[in-house]
Amino acid sequence: MEKIKLKIRRLKNNMQLPFYATEGAAGMDLTAGISEPLEFKPFERKLVPTGIIIELPSGYEAQIRPRSGLSIKFGMTLINCVGDR
């Protein structure tokens, strides 16, 4: 498998970069780029920033997928299921 280099820039110095949470993981974990906790009311929707910018090579895409644990425990998911930019 060919390795590619991604250019990732933090929008603020304290933003966490994506990371592999477990050995052999297919995707990277992405944290919210926020400094204060978010509180959601029932059925409320919010845009949650990542705090980073990724430059992808031509022919590649990045996807944001919901965590199954958040869906089951709290009913939280992405509105369009897969968020991509």
Side-chain angles (χ1 to χ4, degrees):
M1 178 182 285
E2 178 186 345
K3 289 187 178 186
I4 62 167
K5 286 190 176 186
L6 291 179
K7 294 181 183 178
I8 302 175
R9 188 178 80 182
R10 292 179 172 103
L11 295 176
K12 294 181 182 174
N13 287 336
N14 62 340
M15 296 294 118
Q16 187 169 1
L17 294 175
F19 61 94
Y20 289 103
T22 58
E23 189 176 332
M28 301 177 90
D29 281 16
L30 182 64
T31 60
I34 56 174
S35 56
E36 299 288 326
L38 290 177
E39 187 172 314
F40 288 83
K41 295 176 183 158
F43 304 105
E44 184 177 17
R45 293 166 180 87
K46 291 185 181 184
L47 182 63
V48 180
T50 62
I52 61 170
I53 296 172
I54 301 174
E55 182 182 322
L56 294 170
S58 180
Y60 287 85
E61 71 172 355
Q63 296 184 358
I64 300 174
R65 296 175 179 253
R67 290 188 58 165
S68 59
L70 286 176
S71 297
I72 289 293
K73 293 176 187 171
F74 305 106
M76 298 184 76
T77 189
L78 296 174
I79 291 173
N80 62 347
C81 197
V82 175
D84 62 324
R85 281 290 182 146

Coordinates of all heavy atoms in Angstrom, one line a residue:
M1 N 0.8 -1.2 0.0 CA 0.0 0.0 0.0 C 0.9 1.2 0.0 O 1.8 1.4 0.8 CB -0.9 0.0 1.2 CG -1.8 1.2 1.3 SD -2.8 1.3 2.8 CE -4.1 0.1 2.3
E2 N 0.6 2.2 -0.9 CA 1.3 3.4 -1.0 C 1.0 4.3 0.1 O -0.2 4.5 0.5 CB 1.0 4.1 -2.3 CG 1.7 5.4 -2.5 CD 1.3 6.1 -3.8 OE1 0.6 5.5 -4.7 OE2 1.6 7.3 -3.9
K3 N 2.0 4.9 0.8 CA 1.8 5.9 1.8 C 1.7 7.3 1.2 O 2.5 7.6 0.3 CB 2.9 5.8 2.9 CG 2.8 4.6 3.7 CD 3.8 4.7 4.8 CE 3.7 3.5 5.7 NZ 4.6 3.6 6.9
I4 N 0.8 8.1 1.7 CA 0.7 9.5 1.2 C 1.0 10.4 2.4 O 0.8 10.0 3.6 CB -0.6 9.8 0.6 CG1 -1.8 9.6 1.6 CG2 -0.9 9.0 -0.6 CD1 -3.1 10.3 1.2
K5 N 1.4 11.6 2.1 CA 1.6 12.6 3.2 C 0.5 13.6 3.1 O 0.2 14.1 2.0 CB 3.0 13.3 3.0 CG 4.2 12.4 3.4 CD 5.4 13.3 3.4 CE 6.6 12.4 3.9 NZ 7.8 13.2 4.1
L6 N -0.1 13.8 4.3 CA -1.2 14.8 4.3 C -0.6 16.1 5.0 O 0.1 16.0 5.9 CB -2.3 14.3 5.2 CG -3.2 13.2 4.7 CD1 -4.2 12.8 5.7 CD2 -3.8 13.5 3.4
K7 N -1.0 17.2 4.4 CA -0.7 18.5 5.0 C -1.9 18.9 5.9 O -3.0 19.0 5.4 CB -0.5 19.5 3.9 CG 0.8 19.2 3.1 CD 1.0 20.3 2.1 CE 2.2 20.0 1.2 NZ 2.3 21.0 0.2
I8 N -1.6 19.0 7.2 CA -2.7 19.3 8.2 C -2.2 20.5 8.9 O -1.1 20.6 9.4 CB -2.9 18.1 9.2 CG1 -3.3 16.9 8.4 CG2 -4.0 18.5 10.2 CD1 -3.5 15.7 9.3
R9 N -3.1 21.5 9.0 CA -2.8 22.7 9.8 C -3.8 22.9 10.9 O -5.0 22.8 10.7 CB -2.8 23.9 8.8 CG -2.3 25.2 9.5 CD -2.3 26.3 8.5 NE -3.6 26.9 8.5 CZ -4.0 27.9 7.7 NH1 -3.1 28.4 6.9 NH2 -5.2 28.3 7.7
R10 N -3.3 23.2 12.1 CA -4.2 23.6 13.2 C -4.6 25.0 13.0 O -3.8 25.9 12.7 CB -3.4 23.4 14.5 CG -3.0 22.1 14.9 CD -2.3 22.1 16.2 NE -2.0 20.8 16.8 CZ -0.8 20.2 16.7 NH1 0.2 20.8 16.1 NH2 -0.7 19.0 17.2
L11 N -5.9 25.3 13.3 CA -6.4 26.7 13.2 C -6.0 27.4 14.5 O -5.9 28.6 14.5 CB -7.9 26.7 13.1 CG -8.4 26.1 11.7 CD1 -9.9 26.1 11.6 CD2 -7.8 26.9 10.6
K12 N -5.8 26.7 15.6 CA -5.2 27.2 16.8 C -4.2 26.2 17.3 O -4.3 25.0 17.1 CB -6.3 27.4 17.9 CG -7.3 28.5 17.5 CD -8.4 28.6 18.6 CE -9.4 29.6 18.2 NZ -10.5 29.7 19.2
N13 N -3.2 26.7 18.0 CA -2.1 25.8 18.5 C -2.5 24.6 19.3 O -1.9 23.6 19.4 CB -1.0 26.6 19.2 CG -0.2 27.5 18.2 OD1 -0.1 27.1 17.1 ND2 0.4 28.5 18.7
N14 N -3.6 24.8 20.1 CA -4.0 23.7 21.0 C -5.0 22.7 20.4 O -5.4 21.8 21.1 CB -4.7 24.3 22.3 CG -5.9 25.1 21.9 OD1 -6.2 25.5 20.8 ND2 -6.8 25.4 22.9
M15 N -5.3 22.8 19.1 CA -6.2 21.8 18.5 C -5.4 20.5 18.3 O -4.3 20.4 17.9 CB -6.6 22.3 17.1 CG -7.5 23.6 17.2 SD -9.0 23.3 18.0 CE -8.9 24.5 19.3
Q16 N -6.1 19.4 18.6 CA -5.6 18.0 18.5 C -5.6 17.6 17.0 O -6.6 17.7 16.3 CB -6.3 17.1 19.4 CG -5.7 15.7 19.4 CD -6.3 14.8 20.5 OE1 -7.2 15.2 21.2 NE2 -5.7 13.6 20.6
L17 N -4.5 17.0 16.6 CA -4.5 16.4 15.2 C -5.2 15.1 15.2 O -5.3 14.4 16.2 CB -3.0 16.2 14.8 CG -2.2 17.5 14.6 CD1 -0.8 17.2 14.3 CD2 -2.8 18.4 13.5
P18 N -5.7 14.6 14.0 CA -6.3 13.3 14.0 C -5.3 12.2 14.4 O -4.1 12.4 14.1 CB -6.7 13.1 12.5 CG -6.8 14.5 12.0 CD -5.8 15.3 12.8
F19 N -5.8 11.1 15.0 CA -4.8 10.1 15.4 C -5.5 8.7 15.3 O -6.7 8.6 15.3 CB -4.4 10.3 16.9 CG -5.6 10.3 17.8 CD1 -5.9 9.2 18.5 CD2 -6.4 11.5 18.0 CE1 -7.0 9.2 19.4 CE2 -7.5 11.5 18.9 CZ -7.8 10.3 19.6
Y20 N -4.7 7.7 15.2 CA -5.2 6.3 15.3 C -5.3 5.9 16.7 O -4.3 5.8 17.4 CB -4.2 5.3 14.5 CG -4.2 5.5 13.0 CD1 -3.2 6.2 12.4 CD2 -5.3 5.0 12.3 CE1 -3.2 6.4 11.0 CE2 -5.3 5.2 10.9 CZ -4.3 5.9 10.3 OH -4.3 6.1 8.9
A21 N -6.5 5.6 17.2 CA -6.7 5.3 18.6 C -6.3 3.8 18.9 O -5.9 3.6 20.1 CB -8.2 5.4 18.9
T22 N -6.3 2.9 18.0 CA -5.9 1.5 18.2 C -5.1 1.0 17.1 O -5.2 1.5 15.9 CB -7.2 0.6 18.4 OG1 -7.9 0.7 17.2 CG2 -8.0 1.0 19.6
E23 N -4.2 0.1 17.4 CA -3.4 -0.5 16.4 C -4.3 -1.2 15.3 O -5.2 -1.9 15.7 CB -2.4 -1.5 17.0 CG -1.4 -2.1 16.0 CD -0.4 -3.0 16.7 OE1 -0.2 -2.8 17.9 OE2 0.1 -3.9 16.0
G24 N -4.0 -1.0 14.1 CA -4.8 -1.7 13.0 C -6.1 -1.0 12.7 O -6.9 -1.5 11.9
A25 N -6.3 0.2 13.3 CA -7.5 0.9 13.0 C -7.6 1.4 11.5 O -6.6 1.7 10.9 CB -7.6 2.2 13.9
A26 N -8.7 1.3 10.9 CA -8.9 1.7 9.5 C -9.0 3.2 9.3 O -8.6 3.7 8.3 CB -10.2 1.0 8.9
G27 N -9.5 3.9 10.3 CA -9.6 5.3 10.2 C -9.0 6.0 11.5 O -8.7 5.3 12.5
M28 N -8.9 7.3 11.3 CA -8.3 8.1 12.4 C -9.4 8.7 13.3 O -10.5 9.0 12.7 CB -7.4 9.2 11.9 CG -6.3 8.6 11.0 SD -5.3 9.9 10.3 CE -4.1 10.1 11.6
D29 N -9.2 8.9 14.5 CA -10.1 9.6 15.4 C -9.9 11.1 15.2 O -8.8 11.6 15.1 CB -10.0 9.2 16.8 CG -10.6 7.9 17.1 OD1 -10.9 7.1 16.2 OD2 -10.8 7.6 18.3
L30 N -11.0 11.8 15.3 CA -11.0 13.3 15.1 C -11.8 13.9 16.3 O -12.9 13.5 16.6 CB -11.7 13.7 13.8 CG -11.8 15.1 13.4 CD1 -10.4 15.7 13.2 CD2 -12.6 15.3 12.2
T31 N -11.2 14.9 17.0 CA -11.8 15.5 18.1 C -12.4 16.8 17.7 O -12.0 17.4 16.7 CB -10.8 15.7 19.2 OG1 -9.8 16.6 18.8 CG2 -10.2 14.4 19.7
A32 N -13.3 17.3 18.5 CA -14.0 18.6 18.2 C -13.0 19.7 18.5 O -12.2 19.6 19.5 CB -15.2 18.8 19.1
G33 N -12.9 20.7 17.7 CA -12.0 21.8 17.9 C -12.7 22.9 18.7 O -13.0 24.0 18.2
I34 N -13.0 22.6 19.9 CA -13.7 23.6 20.8 C -12.9 23.8 22.1 O -12.2 22.9 22.5 CB -15.1 23.0 21.1 CG1 -15.1 21.6 21.7 CG2 -16.0 23.0 19.9 CD1 -16.4 21.1 22.2
S35 N -13.2 24.9 22.7 CA -12.5 25.2 24.0 C -13.4 25.0 25.2 O -13.0 24.9 26.3 CB -11.8 26.5 24.0 OG -12.8 27.5 23.7
E36 N -14.7 25.1 24.9 CA -15.7 24.9 26.0 C -16.6 23.7 25.7 O -16.9 23.5 24.5 CB -16.6 26.2 26.1 CG -15.8 27.4 26.4 CD -15.4 27.5 27.8 OE1 -16.1 27.0 28.7 OE2 -14.3 28.0 28.1
P37 N -17.1 23.0 26.7 CA -18.0 21.9 26.4 C -19.3 22.4 25.7 O -19.8 23.5 25.9 CB -18.4 21.4 27.8 CG -17.3 21.9 28.7 CD -16.9 23.2 28.1
L38 N -19.8 21.5 24.8 CA -21.1 21.8 24.1 C -22.2 21.1 24.8 O -22.1 20.0 25.3 CB -21.1 21.3 22.7 CG -20.2 22.0 21.7 CD1 -20.2 21.4 20.3 CD2 -20.6 23.5 21.6
E39 N -23.4 21.8 24.9 CA -24.5 21.2 25.5 C -25.6 21.2 24.5 O -25.9 22.2 23.8 CB -25.0 22.0 26.7 CG -26.1 21.4 27.5 CD -26.4 22.1 28.8 OE1 -25.5 22.4 29.5 OE2 -27.6 22.3 29.0
F40 N -26.3 20.1 24.3 CA -27.3 19.9 23.3 C -28.7 19.7 24.0 O -28.8 18.9 24.9 CB -27.0 18.7 22.4 CG -25.9 18.9 21.4 CD1 -24.6 18.7 21.8 CD2 -26.2 19.3 20.1 CE1 -23.6 18.9 20.9 CE2 -25.1 19.5 19.2 CZ -23.8 19.3 19.6
K41 N -29.7 20.4 23.5 CA -31.0 20.2 24.0 C -31.6 19.1 23.1 O -31.1 18.9 22.0 CB -31.8 21.5 23.8 CG -31.3 22.6 24.7 CD -32.1 23.9 24.5 CE -31.5 24.9 25.4 NZ -31.7 26.3 25.0
P42 N -32.7 18.5 23.5 CA -33.3 17.4 22.7 C -33.6 17.9 21.2 O -34.1 19.0 21.1 CB -34.6 17.0 23.4 CG -34.2 17.3 24.8 CD -33.4 18.6 24.8
F43 N -33.2 17.2 20.2 CA -33.4 17.5 18.8 C -32.7 18.7 18.3 O -32.9 19.1 17.2 CB -34.9 17.6 18.5 CG -35.7 16.4 18.9 CD1 -36.5 16.4 20.0 CD2 -35.6 15.2 18.2 CE1 -37.2 15.3 20.4 CE2 -36.3 14.1 18.5 CZ -37.1 14.2 19.7
E44 N -31.8 19.3 19.1 CA -31.0 20.4 18.7 C -29.8 20.0 17.8 O -29.3 18.9 18.0 CB -30.4 21.2 19.9 CG -29.7 22.4 19.5 CD -29.2 23.2 20.8 OE1 -29.1 22.6 21.9 OE2 -28.8 24.3 20.6
R45 N -29.5 20.8 16.8 CA -28.4 20.5 15.9 C -27.4 21.7 16.0 O -27.8 22.8 16.1 CB -28.9 20.4 14.4 CG -29.8 19.2 14.2 CD -30.6 19.4 12.9 NE -31.4 18.3 12.6 CZ -32.7 18.2 13.1 NH1 -33.2 19.1 13.8 NH2 -33.4 17.1 12.8
K46 N -26.1 21.3 15.9 CA -25.1 22.3 16.0 C -24.0 21.9 15.0 O -23.7 20.7 14.8 CB -24.5 22.4 17.4 CG -25.4 23.0 18.4 CD -24.7 23.1 19.7 CE -25.7 23.7 20.8 NZ -25.0 24.0 22.0
L47 N -23.3 22.9 14.5 CA -22.1 22.7 13.6 C -20.9 22.7 14.6 O -20.7 23.6 15.3 CB -22.0 23.8 12.6 CG -20.8 23.8 11.7 CD1 -21.0 22.5 10.8 CD2 -20.8 25.0 10.8
V48 N -20.2 21.6 14.6 CA -19.0 21.4 15.5 C -17.8 21.5 14.7 O -17.5 20.6 13.8 CB -19.1 20.1 16.3 CG1 -18.0 19.9 17.2 CG2 -20.5 20.0 17.0
P49 N -16.9 22.5 14.9 CA -15.7 22.6 14.1 C -14.6 21.6 14.5 O -14.6 21.0 15.6 CB -15.2 24.0 14.5 CG -15.7 24.2 15.9 CD -17.1 23.5 15.9
T50 N -13.8 21.2 13.6 CA -12.7 20.3 13.9 C -11.4 21.0 14.3 O -10.6 20.4 15.0 CB -12.3 19.5 12.6 OG1 -11.8 20.4 11.6 CG2 -13.5 18.7 12.1
G51 N -11.3 22.3 14.0 CA -10.1 23.0 14.4 C -8.9 22.8 13.5 O -7.8 23.2 13.9
I52 N -9.1 22.1 12.4 CA -7.9 21.8 11.5 C -8.3 22.0 10.1 O -9.5 22.0 9.8 CB -7.4 20.3 11.7 CG1 -8.5 19.3 11.4 CG2 -6.8 20.1 13.1 CD1 -8.0 17.9 11.3
I53 N -7.4 22.1 9.2 CA -7.5 22.2 7.8 C -6.6 21.1 7.2 O -5.5 20.9 7.6 CB -7.1 23.5 7.2 CG1 -8.0 24.6 7.7 CG2 -7.1 23.5 5.7 CD1 -7.5 26.0 7.4
I54 N -7.2 20.3 6.3 CA -6.5 19.2 5.7 C -6.4 19.5 4.2 O -7.4 19.7 3.5 CB -7.1 17.8 5.9 CG1 -7.3 17.5 7.4 CG2 -6.4 16.7 5.2 CD1 -8.1 16.3 7.7
E55 N -5.2 19.4 3.6 CA -5.0 19.5 2.2 C -4.8 18.0 1.6 O -3.9 17.3 2.0 CB -3.7 20.3 1.8 CG -3.5 20.4 0.3 CD -2.2 21.2 0.0 OE1 -1.9 22.2 0.8 OE2 -1.5 20.8 -0.9
L56 N -5.8 17.6 0.8 CA -5.8 16.2 0.3 C -5.2 16.2 -1.1 O -5.5 17.1 -1.9 CB -7.2 15.7 0.3 CG -7.8 15.5 1.6 CD1 -9.3 15.1 1.4 CD2 -7.1 14.3 2.3
P57 N -4.4 15.2 -1.4 CA -3.9 15.0 -2.8 C -5.1 14.8 -3.7 O -6.2 14.2 -3.3 CB -3.0 13.8 -2.7 CG -2.8 13.5 -1.3 CD -3.9 14.1 -0.6
S58 N -5.0 15.1 -5.0 CA -6.0 14.8 -6.0 C -6.3 13.3 -6.0 O -5.5 12.5 -5.9 CB -5.5 15.3 -7.4 OG -6.5 15.0 -8.4
G59 N -7.6 13.0 -6.1 CA -8.1 11.6 -6.1 C -8.4 11.0 -4.8 O -8.7 9.9 -4.7
Y60 N -8.2 11.8 -3.7 CA -8.5 11.3 -2.4 C -9.6 12.1 -1.7 O -9.9 13.2 -2.2 CB -7.2 11.4 -1.5 CG -6.2 10.4 -1.8 CD1 -5.2 10.7 -2.8 CD2 -6.1 9.2 -1.1 CE1 -4.2 9.8 -3.1 CE2 -5.1 8.3 -1.4 CZ -4.2 8.6 -2.4 OH -3.2 7.7 -2.7
E61 N -10.3 11.5 -0.7 CA -11.3 12.2 0.0 C -11.1 11.9 1.5 O -10.5 10.9 1.9 CB -12.7 11.8 -0.4 CG -13.1 10.4 0.0 CD -14.5 10.1 -0.3 OE1 -15.3 11.0 -0.7 OE2 -14.9 9.0 -0.1
A62 N -11.7 12.8 2.3 CA -11.7 12.6 3.8 C -13.2 12.5 4.2 O -14.0 13.3 3.6 CB -11.0 13.7 4.5
Q63 N -13.5 11.6 5.1 CA -14.9 11.5 5.5 C -14.9 11.6 7.0 O -14.0 11.1 7.7 CB -15.5 10.2 5.1 CG -15.6 10.0 3.6 CD -16.3 8.7 3.2 OE1 -16.6 7.9 4.1 NE2 -16.5 8.5 2.0
I64 N -16.0 12.2 7.5 CA -16.2 12.2 9.0 C -17.4 11.3 9.2 O -18.5 11.5 8.6 CB -16.5 13.6 9.5 CG1 -15.3 14.5 9.2 CG2 -16.8 13.6 11.0 CD1 -15.5 16.0 9.5
R65 N -17.3 10.3 10.1 CA -18.3 9.3 10.3 C -18.7 9.4 11.8 O -17.9 9.6 12.6 CB -17.9 7.9 9.9 CG -17.6 7.8 8.5 CD -17.0 6.4 8.2 NE -16.7 6.3 6.7 CZ -17.5 5.6 5.9 NH1 -18.5 4.9 6.4 NH2 -17.2 5.6 4.6
P66 N -20.0 9.1 12.1 CA -20.4 9.1 13.5 C -19.9 8.0 14.3 O -19.6 6.9 13.7 CB -21.9 9.1 13.4 CG -22.2 8.4 12.1 CD -21.1 8.8 11.2
R67 N -19.7 8.1 15.5 CA -19.3 7.0 16.4 C -20.5 6.3 16.9 O -21.5 6.9 17.3 CB -18.5 7.6 17.6 CG -17.2 8.2 17.3 CD -16.4 8.5 18.5 NE -16.3 7.3 19.3 CZ -15.4 7.2 20.3 NH1 -14.6 8.2 20.6 NH2 -15.4 6.1 21.0
S68 N -20.5 5.0 16.8 CA -21.6 4.2 17.1 C -22.0 4.4 18.6 O -23.2 4.3 19.0 CB -21.4 2.7 16.8 OG -20.3 2.2 17.5
G69 N -21.0 4.5 19.4 CA -21.3 4.7 20.9 C -22.1 5.9 21.2 O -23.0 5.9 22.0
L70 N -21.8 7.1 20.5 CA -22.6 8.3 20.7 C -24.0 8.1 20.2 O -24.9 8.6 20.8 CB -21.9 9.5 19.9 CG -20.7 10.0 20.5 CD1 -20.1 11.1 19.7 CD2 -20.9 10.6 21.9
S71 N -24.2 7.4 19.1 CA -25.5 7.1 18.6 C -26.4 6.3 19.6 O -27.5 6.6 19.9 CB -25.5 6.5 17.2 OG -24.8 7.3 16.3
I72 N -25.8 5.2 20.0 CA -26.5 4.3 20.9 C -26.8 5.0 22.3 O -27.9 4.9 22.8 CB -25.8 3.0 21.1 CG1 -25.8 2.2 19.8 CG2 -26.3 2.2 22.3 CD1 -27.2 1.7 19.4
K73 N -25.8 5.6 22.9 CA -25.9 6.1 24.2 C -26.7 7.4 24.3 O -27.4 7.6 25.3 CB -24.5 6.3 24.9 CG -23.8 5.0 25.1 CD -22.4 5.2 25.6 CE -21.6 3.9 25.7 NZ -20.2 4.2 26.0
F74 N -26.4 8.3 23.3 CA -27.0 9.6 23.4 C -27.9 10.0 22.3 O -28.4 11.2 22.2 CB -25.8 10.6 23.6 CG -24.9 10.3 24.7 CD1 -23.7 9.8 24.5 CD2 -25.3 10.6 26.0 CE1 -22.8 9.5 25.6 CE2 -24.5 10.3 27.1 CZ -23.2 9.8 26.9
G75 N -28.0 9.2 21.3 CA -28.8 9.6 20.1 C -28.2 10.6 19.2 O -28.9 11.3 18.5
M76 N -26.9 10.7 19.3 CA -26.2 11.8 18.5 C -25.5 11.1 17.2 O -24.9 10.1 17.3 CB -25.1 12.4 19.3 CG -25.6 13.2 20.5 SD -24.4 14.1 21.4 CE -24.1 15.4 20.3
T77 N -25.7 11.8 16.1 CA -25.1 11.3 14.9 C -24.9 12.5 13.9 O -25.3 13.6 14.3 CB -26.0 10.2 14.2 OG1 -25.3 9.6 13.2 CG2 -27.3 10.8 13.7
L78 N -24.3 12.3 12.8 CA -24.2 13.3 11.8 C -25.5 13.4 11.0 O -26.1 12.4 10.7 CB -23.1 13.0 10.8 CG -21.6 12.9 11.4 CD1 -20.7 12.4 10.4 CD2 -21.2 14.3 11.9
I79 N -25.9 14.6 10.7 CA -27.1 14.9 10.0 C -27.2 14.1 8.7 O -28.2 13.5 8.4 CB -27.4 16.4 9.8 CG1 -27.7 17.0 11.2 CG2 -28.6 16.6 8.9 CD1 -27.8 18.5 11.2
N80 N -26.2 14.3 7.9 CA -26.1 13.6 6.6 C -25.4 12.3 6.6 O -25.0 11.7 5.6 CB -25.6 14.5 5.5 CG -24.1 14.9 5.8 OD1 -23.6 14.7 6.9 ND2 -23.5 15.5 4.8
C81 N -25.2 11.7 7.8 CA -24.5 10.5 8.0 C -23.0 10.5 7.8 O -22.3 10.1 8.6 CB -25.2 9.3 7.3 SG -24.7 7.7 8.0
V82 N -22.6 10.9 6.6 CA -21.1 11.0 6.4 C -20.9 12.5 6.0 O -21.5 13.0 5.0 CB -20.6 10.1 5.2 CG1 -19.2 10.3 4.9 CG2 -20.8 8.6 5.6
G83 N -20.0 13.1 6.7 CA -19.7 14.5 6.4 C -18.4 14.5 5.7 O -17.4 14.0 6.1
D84 N -18.4 15.1 4.5 CA -17.1 15.2 3.7 C -16.9 16.6 3.2 O -17.9 17.3 3.0 CB -17.1 14.2 2.6 CG -18.1 14.4 1.6 OD1 -19.3 14.8 1.9 OD2 -17.9 14.2 0.4
R85 N -15.7 17.0 3.1 CA -15.4 18.3 2.6 C -14.4 18.2 1.5 O -13.5 17.5 1.5 CB -14.7 19.2 3.7 CG -15.7 19.7 4.6 CD -16.5 20.8 3.9 NE -17.4 21.4 4.8 CZ -17.7 22.6 4.7 NH1 -17.2 23.4 3.9 NH2 -18.7 23.1 5.5

